[in-house]
Structure formats: structure tokens, C-alpha cells
Amino acid sequence: MSSSANRPDNITIMNLLGTCAELASLEAGNQVHCLSVKSGLVLDVSVCNGLIDMYAKCGSLKSAQNVFDSTLNRNVISWSSLIVGYAQFGLAHEALNLFRRMRKFGIHPNEVTYLGVLTACSHIGLVEEGWHLYKTMQVELGVPPRREHFSCMVDLLARAGCLNEAETFIMKTGFDPDITTWKTLLSACKTHGNVDIAKRAAENILKLDPSSSAAMVLLCNIHASGGNWEDVAKLRSLMKQTGIPKVPGQSWIEVKDKIHVFFSDDTSHPQREKIYTMLEELWLQMLDDGYDSCKWLGIDI
């Protein structure tokens, strides 16, 4: 398109920014930002919203805030994009403060806004405020909760250790809980050491997906944390009998315009020797600084 007579418009820029956001490619996003400035499209509020969303999803929250501050005629999407960005990266207080500013300016929140503030409440354990926002969304503004809001409330209660309340909320709400909801509860059971609810959560996950390795592994870890090695052995034996594999963890990072993908215990990367040497040095530094490596990394033996 760039080599043709056609020039990009605001829709072109928005789609490019959406792609950069999905890939979390900050370098490409910066280039699209420059293109929007050169073409004069950066003044379009939809392009600004796309930039805020892209920078937020790439973790460049300072850039997202700068675009937000320079945006004329901000709308609910502008505010919501930054609120969600702050919430997803753990800056819960910033997200909630921005929400309060938004309300003072008379901007009515939408479903995405509430998803952001409920996530923020979950990160810092504001159970009462989360409940208030959940009820406000339905009663005062007439915004019906979606499955994502329902999952946020489960996460909020579970993280705060209110596991019985979270389980009751799942069972009594009109939504049919999906695997993600039950996994949220199961993960919290691991944190708080609740074996009984963990078993019920794992059972519900396996009803929905009999091949779910995550449920079995989490349940194994919960039993291991409590020293129930006999139950651990039974579960691992069951996994072998039923052919449930343990799916390895995966992560990736972009360095100099190239994406590097890693799996747990990966030995396929061409620079693996340098990588593992650096990891070993970091590990030794942690031990020298007095960290309990297993606890700090959340590793179960």
C-alpha cells in the first residue's frame, strides 16, 4: 500500500495498531505512531484510542498516558483503554483513580471500563469496593454483567481468600461457569491451601475437559503443599493411565525486532548455553541475597 498511490486513513492506522497490540510489538507500534503523526491522522480520536490501547497492551504505560493526555475530545474508549491497561499490569490504584476522574468529568463507563476497575480491585483485594462496583454496574447504569465481569468477581473473592463465597457465587449466578472460572478458583485454593474446594473445582474442570492437564497438576501441587504425598502419587498415576500430558510452560520476548519463544526445559534455542549461564548467575545472586529460591519462584517440590 505504501508503494502505491493509496494513502492510509484512520481505519488503516487503527487496524495496524490493533495488530501491533495483539503481537505486543512495541517497536512496530512506534513506527505506526510515527506514520499517524506524519499523515496528520494522530488528531483523530479513534487513532488516539488505538495508540492508547496499543501502548497499554505492550506494557508501555507511560507512552499510553502521554497519548491520553494529548488526546482532544476524549471519549469512554479513551478512558477505558488506559484504565484496563493500568489494571492488567497491576497498577490498581492508578486505574481506580482514573476511574474516579472519569466519573467527575461526567463520562459514563461502559462494560470495558467496569472490567478494568473490577480487575484492579482484584489485584489489591478490595472486596467491598468490587462488590459495590459490580452492583452499581447493574443497578445504577443498567450495564448487564458479562461472563468476563463474572470471572473478575470470582477472581476478586478467591484472591482475597473468600473461597467459600467464591464457590457460592459461581453456583448461584446465572452464568454457566467455564473452565477459566474453575481454574481461577483452583489456583486460589493452591495459594490458600484449601484442598476440599480444590477437589470440587478440579472435578468441574475435568467434567468440561477430561484431558485438562492444568487441573491435575494444580491439584497435585495442592496435595504436595499439604504433604499429602499418597494423594500426589495417586493423581500422577491417574494422569499416566489416562494419558493426560503435562503441557510445558511457554513464554516469548521480542529483542531487536525478533521474537524468541521459550518452553520449560527448552534446549532448542541457538543461544541456549548463554541463556542458561545467565540464569545460573541470577540464581546464585538470589541465593547470595538470602532468597528462599523455591518459595520465591513458587516452585513445589
Side-chain angles (χ1 to χ4, degrees):
M1 183 179 183
S2 297
S3 62
S4 69
N6 298 298
R7 308 311 305 160
D9 59 10
N10 60 337
I11 296 175
T12 313
I13 299 296
M14 287 166 58
N15 279 294
L16 286 170
L17 290 170
T19 302
C20 296
E22 287 298 317
L23 296 172
S25 179
L26 183 59
E27 185 173 344
N30 284 329
Q31 292 178 26
V32 179
H33 190 175
C34 291
L35 176 62
S36 69
V37 172
K38 289 179 180 178
S39 60
L41 295 169
V42 75
L43 299 176
D44 185 283
V45 67
S46 60
V47 171
C48 289
N49 292 342
L51 286 166
I52 296 168
D53 181 66
M54 181 275 295
Y55 280 125
K57 286 180 177 175
C58 290
S60 183
L61 293 170
K62 185 175 180 181
S63 296
Q65 179 71 61
N66 289 339
V67 175
F68 176 84
D69 291 338
S70 64
T71 301
L72 302 175
N73 302 317
R74 299 184 199 118
N75 56 25
V76 65
I77 299 173
S78 315
W79 292 87
S80 299
S81 297
L82 189 55
I83 288 170
V84 170
Y86 278 138
Q88 288 179 338
F89 281 89
L91 299 174
H93 291 293
E94 287 83 348
L96 292 168
N97 288 335
L98 192 62
F99 177 71
R100 295 184 188 107
R101 279 180 56 201
M102 174 183 175
R103 296 302 300 267
K104 285 182 180 179
F105 278 98
I107 307 294
H108 293 288
N110 61 15
E111 295 174 342
V112 177
T113 320
Y114 275 106
L115 190 61
V117 290
L118 287 174
T119 301
C121 290
S122 177
H123 278 301
I124 54 178
L126 295 178
V127 176
E128 290 185 10
E129 186 161 353
W131 268 119
H132 173 71
L133 289 166
Y134 188 76
K135 293 174 182 176
T136 299
M137 175 177 62
Q138 301 174 74
V139 178
E140 291 185 8
L141 299 177
V143 179
R146 297 188 318 200
R147 184 176 295 278
E148 292 86 348
H149 304 106
F150 167 71
S151 297
C152 269
M153 286 305 300
V154 173
D155 187 52
L156 170 62
L157 293 167
R159 279 181 186 242
C162 306
L163 299 175
N164 290 314
E165 292 84 348
E167 187 179 26
T168 301
F169 180 75
I170 291 172
M171 302 307 295
K172 290 187 175 180
T173 308
F175 291 100
D176 289 328
D178 57 9
I179 289 178
T180 302
T181 303
W182 287 116
K183 281 182 179 178
T184 299
L185 183 60
L186 181 58
S187 296
C189 289
K190 179 179 181 296
T191 302
H192 297 284
N194 192 314
V195 177
D196 292 335
I197 295 179
K199 286 180 179 178
R200 292 195 291 272
E203 286 171 2
N204 280 287
I205 292 171
L206 294 171
K207 284 179 185 176
L208 295 168
D209 181 10
S211 64
S212 174
S213 62
M216 300 294 279
V217 170
L218 274 171
L219 197 54
C220 276
N221 288 341
I222 291 168
H223 283 303
S225 298
N228 304 319
W229 300 110
E230 187 177 340
D231 290 326
V232 172
K234 287 179 181 177
L235 283 169
R236 287 181 176 169
S237 175
L238 180 63
M239 288 178 71
K240 288 180 180 178
Q241 290 173 14
T242 54
I244 298 176
K246 181 176 178 180
V247 180
Q250 179 184 0
S251 61
W252 60 89
I253 185 171
E254 182 180 0
V255 179
K256 295 182 179 179
D257 203 27
K258 184 177 180 181
I259 295 175
H260 299 262
V261 181
F262 301 93
F263 288 91
S264 179
D265 297 325
D266 189 9
T267 58
S268 61
H269 196 280
Q271 296 181 351
R272 59 187 176 278
E273 292 184 6
K274 291 182 179 179
I275 292 168
Y276 280 109
T277 299
M278 178 58 70
L279 284 172
E280 187 175 351
E281 289 178 8
L282 290 171
W283 185 276
L284 292 173
Q285 285 182 24
M286 288 164 57
L287 294 177
D288 288 341
D289 290 339
Y291 284 104
D292 183 335
S293 55
C294 289
K295 279 186 181 178
W296 193 77
L297 291 172
I299 296 173
D300 290 304
I301 305 299

